[in-house]
Amino acid sequence: MTRQWRQGQYLISTDPNRLDLSVVHSFLTTSYWATGIPLEVVKRSIDHSLTFGLYTESQQIGFARVVTDYTTFAYLSDVFVLERFRGIGLGKWLIEVVVSHPELQGLRRWLLGTADAHGLYRQFGFTELSRPERFMQRHNPDLYGCCG
């Protein structure tokens, strides 16, 4: 079920058909976490996630996606607000909408990775891993032809 939230001239929608893939891809391909990511990989990631597009009028200005089983676990990923729209609370509103989404309530664990937005995510109950020694990863940082 597609949902949407409005705040003044801004809109957040979970409708994947509304997403502007060129905006999402353009941002992600230059981000520190997905440098060089191919468009086809972005498309597939969107197809298999709950997505949140942030818009002003008909222009997409932000994005977030959640990989989840809707029952026990969610991984928050690819969160961004375009630079010229930062500093007015839109990132905070986007995260607030994501974590309060009705289908994502009662989950046992949320995870995310961030290099520079710890303060934002702490406002919504995220903390550093309490037992990082229990977590493992398989990581291929050069998958898209650059550093990861």
Side-chain angles (χ1 to χ4, degrees):
M1 168 187 250
T2 298
R3 296 182 185 269
Q4 59 182 34
W5 299 258
R6 186 167 290 282
Q7 187 178 82
Q9 70 187 48
Y10 301 103
L11 173 77
I12 295 174
S13 173
T14 60
D15 182 356
N17 297 314
R18 188 176 182 143
L19 294 171
D20 183 337
L21 287 176
S22 66
V23 170
V24 176
H25 179 250
S26 177
F27 186 91
L28 292 179
T29 197
T30 61
S31 70
Y32 69 83
W33 66 89
T35 302
I37 190 169
L39 178 60
E40 192 54 43
V41 172
V42 173
K43 287 179 185 177
R44 282 195 353 243
S45 72
I46 286 170
D47 288 345
H48 297 284
S49 301
L50 174 59
T51 57
F52 296 80
L54 172 61
Y55 307 90
T56 180
E57 306 300 324
S58 61
Q59 177 188 7
Q60 184 168 353
I61 61 170
F63 178 76
R65 71 183 181 93
V66 177
V67 181
T68 184
D69 63 6
Y70 295 96
T71 306
T72 63
F73 176 80
Y75 177 73
L76 178 58
S77 184
D78 297 337
V79 178
F80 71 85
V81 173
L82 296 179
E83 192 165 343
R84 68 182 179 274
F85 294 96
R86 293 180 190 166
I88 57 174
L90 294 174
K92 186 174 180 177
W93 180 47
L94 180 57
I95 301 306
E96 179 182 320
V97 165
V98 169
V99 299
S100 66
H101 189 285
E103 293 180 58
L104 300 176
Q105 301 312 296
L107 302 178
R108 184 163 189 246
R109 184 179 312 274
W110 284 77
L111 288 177
L112 65 82
T114 185
D116 56 4
H118 296 75
L120 170 65
Y121 296 114
R122 280 189 189 103
Q123 295 175 54
F124 298 96
F126 287 89
T127 61
E128 285 74 12
L129 294 174
S130 57
R131 302 287 303 268
E133 69 278 6
R134 291 187 177 187
F135 288 82
M136 297 178 72
Q137 69 176 355
R138 282 183 61 186
H139 187 221
N140 186 351
D142 297 323
L143 185 63
Y144 309 133
C146 184
C147 35

